[in-house]
Amino acid sequence: MQPMMRVFGAALASSALVLGMAPLATAAEQGQAQPEFKVGAIDWKPCEEVPTIDCGFLTLPIDYAKPNGEKFQLAVSRRKANDPAQRIGAMVINPGGPGGSGVDFSFGADRYFSKEIVDRFDVIGFDPRGVARSQPIKCSLDLLQKSPSEYPKSKAEFDRLVAFNKELRADCRKQSGAIFDHASTRDVAHDIDSIRRALGEQKINYYGVSYGTIMGQHYAEQYGRNIRAMIIDSNMDHSLGTWKFLETEARGADDMFNEWVKWSDRTPASPFYGKDLRKIWKDLLARADRGELVDESGRKITAENLGANVVGMGYGPSFKPFADWIATLVAGAPAPAKAFAAGETAENPFAGIFCNDYNLRVGSWGEYQALNALENRVAPNTRGSSIGHGAMMGCVGFPKATNAQRPLKIKNAPKILLTNSRYDTATVYEWAVNAHRQSRDTTVFVTYEGWGHGVYDRSECTLKINNEYLLSLKLPRNGTTCAAVEPPLEPAVLSAKPKVTVGPF
């Protein structure tokens, strides 16, 4: 699966006084019957990258069911509140992924959150187990580079992808060790509470965006009593099976395409203003199917590539840059190769995290054909969703997930703020609606009626709601909406926001 460059970026840090050895965890604290264990202190030192922020490691069990077994080092960062006299508490943050570094996110917390938030909260970043500094899941780079197409055209190609995935999984497990089998968000939720205990905090605050919302959801289910405030921004739905996951992602991609067309129709700065963009796009897809489109490196641009760039464009959204890129293709010139997606490295947390969180499995070539027909039917303009498709095909051939999907059940948590954009190609709006439906007694749902991935500061309205809740626990009426704000024409407007390279969610 091809990770994408997050357009809205990420930022956070960490801080809170360590009070020595934390008390033993109780069964109630753990959310389930587990052996008790001691959480040690974090040995804070100035971060090498940003010395004004503290960095350290927390020694934790790889398998919480075996607390005296093999351990790993969880990387944690702490940006102390700028105004200690007005400090409210510690806020743990996660930028999504799977594979996003919360430590890196913390380095730019003052550029992501409002001044009053970093003034009054110790912002705590952490790299989830299997990610970045926390015993990262690794795979052989030469093997990753041999990945076959995730769009097989025959049973033989499908079988080759299945065989490759099995080989890749075995390689990743060998390269990574025991952490590979214990990197699900259920495990991460236990780590978050271990951080709380190491900090000596009775309750914590949490802000998680995108894949970080699953971590928040799991934490609320298991440790709800330990939450003061929680924002889950741009939500995953951890209840969907393969068919519904693929269908909803595809619909989100096609919706963003339609929104891009509407933007072009109302925006004189669009190169397609006053033109029949739907016909232009249809012709472009046909040229791609005939193999007539290439980028600057000479590689073919497929119809699926075009659709994937619609999905990537939707993160910002980058309506104008995407329109300019398409105009280059329409004119017959080779397009810039970078487009709106980034590549992979030898660190590959997707296999160990996502495939253990989602049991999206395709059992046969025939089932794949039916699923592919579904996504093309739902989203003909984008040939489905590159994210949904890639997530599904990235786990083909894997055994069952250890933390498989199930309905969300939050019972003992305070009110949680759940937010989502109406148009989001990563965490589609339907997911937030469904996550709220499953937790309507504990979540307050706020919709940003515009576009893009990440809601926190999309508008004065969203910023006010988020900040008031964090500072005073004041929440709006459930079902509140914030009006759409027309996206900037150039991405440079967003350049001050911290950026982080993570997975698609």
Side-chain angles (χ1 to χ4, degrees):
M1 181 169 177
Q2 293 290 326
M4 324 260 325
M5 179 67 77
R6 287 285 280 283
V7 183
F8 69 94
L12 276 175
S14 52
S15 101
L17 297 177
V18 178
L19 303 180
M21 193 69 74
L24 293 175
T26 65
E29 254 190 310
Q30 288 297 328
Q32 60 189 55
Q34 290 183 333
E36 296 181 344
F37 72 101
K38 291 184 178 181
V39 175
I42 302 170
D43 183 18
W44 296 112
K45 293 181 173 62
C47 299
E48 183 179 344
E49 300 88 343
V50 184
T52 56
I53 297 174
D54 299 327
C55 282
F57 289 92
L58 186 57
T59 302
L60 296 175
I62 286 181
D63 183 353
Y64 276 88
K66 300 176 181 178
N68 296 319
E70 187 176 351
K71 305 293 196 299
F72 80 103
Q73 298 289 301
L74 183 80
V76 187
S77 60
R78 178 180 65 181
R79 174 188 288 269
K80 290 184 178 180
N82 293 334
D83 186 354
Q86 298 296 316
R87 178 184 181 275
I88 292 174
M91 181 172 68
V92 177
I93 50 120
N94 183 270
S101 166
V103 172
D104 288 349
F105 190 15
S106 74
F107 293 159
D110 57 339
R111 289 177 285 135
Y112 188 87
F113 295 102
S114 299
K115 181 179 184 297
E116 56 263 46
I117 302 303
V118 294
D119 279 352
R120 303 192 64 184
F121 287 91
D122 294 343
V123 182
I124 310 298
F126 74 103
D127 289 350
R129 52 174 58 211
V131 173
R133 305 163 184 84
S134 298
Q135 198 162 322
I137 291 172
K138 295 186 176 181
C139 311
S140 298
L141 184 58
D142 60 343
L143 183 58
L144 283 170
Q145 293 172 339
K146 296 175 183 176
S147 176
S149 172
E150 293 178 339
Y151 292 88
K153 304 299 183 186
S154 65
K155 183 178 184 301
E157 290 188 6
F158 176 82
D159 291 343
R160 187 155 57 247
L161 179 60
V162 171
F164 171 81
N165 280 354
K166 289 181 177 179
E167 182 183 4
L168 178 63
R169 182 178 185 276
D171 176 82
C172 297
R173 290 185 80 207
K174 180 180 178 181
Q175 301 285 340
S176 308
I179 199 82
F180 184 91
D181 293 325
H182 297 277
S184 75
T185 49
R186 181 177 59 197
D187 299 297
V188 173
H190 297 321
D191 294 342
I192 292 173
D193 206 61
S194 295
I195 294 172
R196 177 193 66 81
R197 293 167 59 211
L199 295 174
E201 300 285 340
Q202 183 178 0
K203 294 180 182 291
I204 59 168
N205 305 275
Y206 179 83
Y207 173 83
V209 62
S210 199
Y211 211 80
T213 64
I214 296 191
M215 298 173 192
Q217 292 166 14
H218 276 63
Y219 188 80
E221 285 185 311
Q222 299 175 82
Y223 300 99
R225 292 187 180 91
N226 298 339
I227 296 170
R228 174 189 172 271
M230 174 175 285
I231 297 173
I232 43 179
D233 179 342
S234 305
N235 282 260
M236 302 291 292
D237 181 358
H238 195 232
S239 72
L240 299 178
T242 305
W243 288 80
K244 204 65 178 177
F245 184 95
L246 198 66
E247 178 189 351
T248 51
E249 281 287 80
R251 189 154 40 243
D254 210 61
D255 285 348
M256 186 62 75
F257 171 81
N258 291 326
E259 289 300 302
W260 175 62
V261 172
K262 292 176 187 176
W263 169 86
S264 182
D265 288 345
R266 68 175 180 264
T267 307
S270 169
F272 302 107
Y273 181 69
K275 299 179 181 179
D276 187 350
L277 183 51
R278 291 187 183 278
K279 182 181 184 305
I280 292 170
W281 182 262
K282 186 176 180 180
D283 292 343
L284 199 64
L285 288 175
R287 287 174 57 192
D289 285 334
R290 293 194 298 268
E292 297 172 2
L293 299 182
V294 295
D295 64 23
E296 288 176 332
S297 67
R299 289 178 297 189
K300 294 280 188 342
I301 298 174
T302 67
E304 288 80 13
N305 293 150
L306 291 176
N309 280 286
V310 171
V311 171
M313 168 271 289
Y315 279 64
S318 303
F319 286 153
K320 177 63 161 58
F322 180 67
D324 292 341
W325 185 75
I326 292 299
T328 302
L329 287 175
V330 170
K338 62 171 185 172
F340 296 86
E344 292 185 283
T345 69
E347 289 188 14
N348 184 32
F350 174 82
I353 300 174
F354 186 87
C355 296
N356 268 334
D357 279 337
Y358 278 89
N359 202 43
L360 305 180
R361 304 298 188 261
V362 184
S364 67
W365 163 242
E367 185 180 11
Y368 169 76
Q369 288 179 297
L371 285 162
N372 191 222
L374 166 71
E375 58 182 340
N376 284 318
R377 183 169 63 252
V378 171
N381 294 299
T382 58
R383 303 288 171 91
S385 163
S386 57
I387 293 179
H389 188 97
M392 176 180 72
M393 300 309 284
C395 301
V396 166
F398 276 41
K400 289 183 178 180
T402 59
N403 182 38
Q405 308 94 294
R406 54 177 173 73
L408 182 59
K409 295 180 181 178
I410 302 175
K411 294 182 179 179
N412 299 312
K415 291 292 185 181
I416 292 168
L417 179 59
L418 184 156
T419 65
N420 222 91
S421 296
R422 177 74 66 175
Y423 304 102
D424 184 338
T425 51
T427 54
V428 297
Y429 188 67
E430 287 182 69
W431 290 2
V433 171
N434 206 27
H436 172 59
R437 185 183 299 119
Q438 296 165 40
S439 60
R440 61 173 63 255
D441 292 335
T442 52
T443 56
V444 173
F445 188 17
V446 172
T447 299
Y448 169 64
E449 293 288 355
W451 316 265
H453 191 47
V455 168
Y456 173 72
D457 61 350
R458 283 285 166 183
S459 69
E460 291 183 8
C461 173
T462 62
L463 194 60
K464 182 173 185 289
I465 288 172
N466 279 278
N467 287 348
E468 281 189 348
Y469 170 58
L470 286 173
L471 294 170
S472 68
L473 300 182
K474 178 184 176 183
L475 281 164
R477 175 183 55 83
N478 187 53
T480 292
T481 61
C482 288
V485 175
E486 197 71 14
L489 294 179
E490 299 299 332
V493 175
L494 300 175
S495 62
K497 300 296 285 183
K499 295 178 175 62
V500 109
T501 304
V502 298
F505 302 113

